[in-house]
Amino acid sequence: MILKRSESMLTIPAKTILQKNRSSGWFGNDYNMNLYKGCCHGCIYCDSRSDCYRIDDFDTVRAKENCIEILRDELRQKVKTGVIATGAMSDPYNPFEKSERLTEKALMLIDAYNFGVTVITKSGLIVRDIDLYRQIAEHSPVLCKMTVTTCDDKLSRLIEPNVSASSERFNALEKMSEAGLKTGITLMPVLPFIEDTEENITEIVRKAHECGVRYIYPAFGMTLRQNQRDYYFKKLDAIFPGMSDKYRRYYGGSYECVSPSAKRLWTVFAEKCEQYGILYRMNEIIADYQRGYGDRQLSFL
Ligand code: SF4
């Protein structure tokens, strides 16, 4: 049952907040945390819209009821600490976070119970919590990531309509890096025939370097599942007439849609990263941001 809490924010019942990861292979995360369900950021390619995740009315954000109390009890009961990830399936810095402050409260608990955190967002609102991330980094690993798929603000407004434009995301990364936080970019998806140019990739790496970003993890292509594909194609038809037909011809009904330029882009990307000393292999990223925090790194290796 969904209860209406206010004019703008809906809530949804919740039993648990932390989900244990079976492996720590994805950015060294031990747990996943979602305080909200759904996302109103409107990225046209969003994978979380897929049927398989069974999120009704995905574009409506709902806060999980009593999520802070549930999280506190779960953290209190854990025998071992670990790294908590937030930002998959729902952006923790959606527009409601400004007033609801659930992510901020969760970070306070993560700090109090000596856990680490990795966060991924497309919102500049994250800079509000810089001091909290710094506090957590005093005892546990912290990694602050932004997803950036294009350097072109006009394009980002079209394909990611309700989030901070790419330039604002770079500004946020710069502020976090300057504050001494370890920052990264998830460079994914790279939309075939739209974003998969050498210029776009090299410019993202160059700007990342300028902003003090230490890691970039890329995927040169995208994934498409049935209803996510339908949504994406509908949006493509509105923004880039004829483009969805190009996808149909090239990929048919494939789930994995790798850019035809992926090989070349990888070479260019890796060269640029090496030039700037930016890490881009997952094991190196994890080892680097977890270094110096007891035996975490050793257990990963
Ligand atoms: S911010 Fe993330 S979860 Fe939200 S719509 Fe965009 S891709 Fe999906």
Side-chain angles (χ1 to χ4, degrees), residues 219-288:
F220 298 110
M222 68 185 305
T223 55
L224 284 175
R225 292 188 179 95
Q226 190 52 50
N227 63 314
Q228 172 208 6
R229 179 187 291 111
D230 296 343
Y231 185 91
Y232 180 59
F233 283 180
K234 201 173 92 190
K235 293 290 176 183
L236 279 188
D237 287 338
I239 305 168
F240 308 104
M243 186 60 83
S244 69
D245 286 336
K246 196 165 178 179
Y247 272 70
R248 282 185 195 90
R249 281 197 301 275
Y250 198 85
Y251 296 112
S254 294
Y255 167 61
E256 284 188 40
C257 304
V258 178
S259 162
S261 314
K263 214 170 161 189
R264 186 167 45 83
L265 294 178
W266 251 113
T267 307
V268 171
F269 167 78
E271 276 173 13
K272 274 277 160 205
C273 286
E274 300 282 348
Q275 181 189 332
Y276 293 129
I278 292 174
L279 299 180
Y280 56 92
R281 293 184 188 93
M282 185 58 85
N283 58 345
E284 291 177 355
I285 295 171
I286 298 171
D288 190 76

Side-chain angles (χ1 to χ4, degrees), residues 38-49 58-59 87-92 94 120-123 147 159-163 188-189:
C39 186
C40 59
H41 280 166
C43 308
I44 66 169
Y45 49 73
C46 181
D47 166 70
S48 303
R49 214 174 262 114
F58 175 77
D59 295 273
M89 314 293 292
S90 176
D91 196 314
N94 63 60
I120 185 156
T121 181
K122 289 189 185 119
S123 168
T147 297
I159 61 174
E160 301 150 343
N162 307 325
V163 290
M188 60 178 72

Side-chain angles (χ1 to χ4, degrees), residues 21-256:
N21 278 347
R22 279 191 216 115
S23 90
S24 298
W26 185 251
F27 290 104
N29 301 319
D30 300 300
Y31 300 94
N32 276 322
M33 173 180 84
N34 276 305
L35 306 167
Y36 297 96
K37 192 166 191 174
C39 186
C40 59
H41 280 166
C43 308
I44 66 169
Y45 49 73
C46 181
D47 166 70
S48 303
R49 214 174 262 114
S50 306
D51 275 339
C52 62
Y53 299 119
R54 285 180 276 163
I55 304 176
D56 297 333
D57 199 6
F58 175 77
D59 295 273
T60 302
V61 180
R62 287 138 289 178
K64 293 191 180 170
E65 284 169 15
N66 303 320
C67 58
I68 297 304
E69 290 77 10
I70 297 170
L71 175 65
R72 184 199 56 213
D73 292 346
E74 287 177 340
L75 290 173
R76 195 184 271 164
Q77 284 160 16
K78 298 282 178 222
V79 179
K80 254 183 93 182
T81 62
V83 175
I84 297 173
T86 189
M89 314 293 292
S90 176
D91 196 314
Y93 290 99
N94 63 60
F96 301 99
E97 172 59 20
K98 248 188 196 167
S99 53
E100 300 295 316
R101 304 187 90 105
L102 297 180
T103 299
E104 181 188 41
K105 287 173 198 160
L107 290 173
M108 288 177 189
L109 286 174
I110 286 169
D111 179 35
Y113 286 93
N114 283 312
F115 279 70
V117 67
T118 72
V119 57
I120 185 156
T121 181
K122 289 189 185 119
S123 168
L125 181 57
I126 189 173
V127 300
R128 179 198 68 189
D129 293 337
I130 280 179
D131 287 345
L132 271 169
Y133 288 111
R134 289 180 63 187
Q135 245 168 265
I136 298 168
E138 281 179 20
H139 54 75
S140 300
V142 172
L143 173 54
C144 297
K145 292 168 285 158
M146 283 271 174
T147 297
V148 178
T149 71
T150 174
C151 267
D152 180 344
D153 278 359
K154 276 192 196 146
L155 181 58
S156 76
R157 284 266 172 254
L158 291 172
I159 61 174
E160 301 150 343
N162 307 325
V163 290
S164 304
S166 294
S167 56
E168 294 167 48
R169 284 176 244 169
F170 279 112
N171 288 340
L173 283 164
E174 189 166 24
K175 283 187 186 143
M176 290 188 287
S177 304
E178 281 173 0
L181 293 168
K182 290 180 177 167
T183 54
I185 287 176
T186 44
L187 172 48
M188 60 178 72
V190 173
L191 304 180
F193 313 118
I194 298 169
E195 297 179 317
D196 55 347
T197 63
E198 275 187 40
E199 295 71 34
N200 186 39
I201 302 306
T202 52
E203 187 61 2
I204 289 174
V205 180
R206 192 189 64 74
K207 284 204 170 159
H209 169 66
E210 269 180 18
C211 297
V213 168
R214 296 168 71 114
Y215 323 114
I216 305 179
Y217 195 67
F220 298 110
M222 68 185 305
T223 55
L224 284 175
R225 292 188 179 95
Q226 190 52 50
N227 63 314
Q228 172 208 6
R229 179 187 291 111
D230 296 343
Y231 185 91
Y232 180 59
F233 283 180
K234 201 173 92 190
K235 293 290 176 183
L236 279 188
D237 287 338
I239 305 168
F240 308 104
M243 186 60 83
S244 69
D245 286 336
K246 196 165 178 179
Y247 272 70
R248 282 185 195 90
R249 281 197 301 275
Y250 198 85
Y251 296 112
S254 294
Y255 167 61
E256 284 188 40

